Amino acid sequence: ETAIPGTARLTIGIQPSDDEGLADALSVLSEYPYGCIEQTTSRFVPGLAAAAALESLGRPNPALRDRFRAIAGTGIARLYHLQNGDGGWGGGGGTSSDPLMTGYALAGLERCRRMGLTVEETPLARGRAAAVTLLAAAEPSAKALLLAALALGERAEPAAMNAMYRVREALPTSAAARLAIAPPGSGA
């Protein structure tokens, strides 16, 4: 009753397989512009994860995998370039290290490493050290992201993970989800 007639539109697409629909949806990500840490990471990590998921289901899509591996190489290099002297990452070039952006960038690099892509150890080690430093003053959502990123690199302190787990009911849903998907047994 509040809609203006003629202003709404619905488009329905039909794909012969889930794989093709997924590839079409991910094409938007591959064309995503570079900018801040979040945009850079969001451009390639979901595509890599989708390609890995298809492979684990026995339905590999080499073209999708290769496309996102190439995009990931460019994104990883950009994350190296945006890394601050203290090892963390800010919202963009020249901004001070931020717990959320550091967690986001570190998680992206760790996911790439876990998927078999080449990620240099020095930027990872510097990012991990910055994440540990930023944990102390981070608000709960950022702390959950930092711990999840450290867990991906098997560097999260079990005591810190347990402390966050104990307060999970008070966390925003996204923060609790990050902790829930953190790899188990990730101690320093």
Side-chain angles (χ1 to χ4, degrees):
E1 54 190 63
T2 61
I4 300 171
T7 62
R9 190 170 55 200
L10 171 66
T11 304
I12 298 173
I14 299 173
Q15 299 290 339
S17 74
D18 294 341
D19 301 3
E20 291 181 36
L22 181 62
D24 285 349
L26 290 171
S27 70
V28 173
L29 290 176
S30 70
E31 296 163 8
Y32 206 73
Y34 280 124
C36 69
I37 300 301
E38 186 177 9
Q39 290 170 339
T40 298
T41 306
S42 294
R43 185 168 189 241
F44 64 86
V45 171
L48 291 171
L54 288 172
E55 284 190 27
S56 72
L57 293 171
R59 296 165 39 197
N61 185 326
L64 179 71
R65 181 194 61 230
D66 294 345
R67 180 177 181 191
F68 277 95
R69 281 182 175 264
I71 292 168
T74 303
I76 290 167
R78 179 149 175 83
L79 291 177
Y80 294 160
H81 176 73
L82 293 173
Q83 191 173 30
N84 291 332
D86 65 0
W89 287 268
T95 59
S96 59
S97 293
D98 172 79
L100 281 171
M101 292 301 106
T102 296
Y104 207 75
L106 182 60
L109 291 174
E110 293 286 11
R111 282 190 178 95
C112 287
R113 181 190 58 76
R114 290 173 72 97
M115 290 180 197
L117 276 76
T118 301
V119 179
E120 294 176 20
E121 185 56 36
T122 300
L124 270 178
R126 292 177 59 234
R128 291 169 182 154
V132 169
T133 300
L134 291 166
L135 270 172
E139 53 87 21
S141 288
K143 191 173 281 198
L145 179 54
L146 289 167
L147 285 170
L150 288 165
L152 286 166
E154 300 177 0
R155 300 297 195 285
E157 290 284 344
M161 293 292 285
N162 290 337
M164 286 301 288
Y165 181 77
R166 284 191 295 276
V167 299
R168 68 191 178 283
E169 299 294 329
L171 294 173
T173 305
S174 61
R178 287 183 185 117
L179 289 175
I181 63 172
S186 55

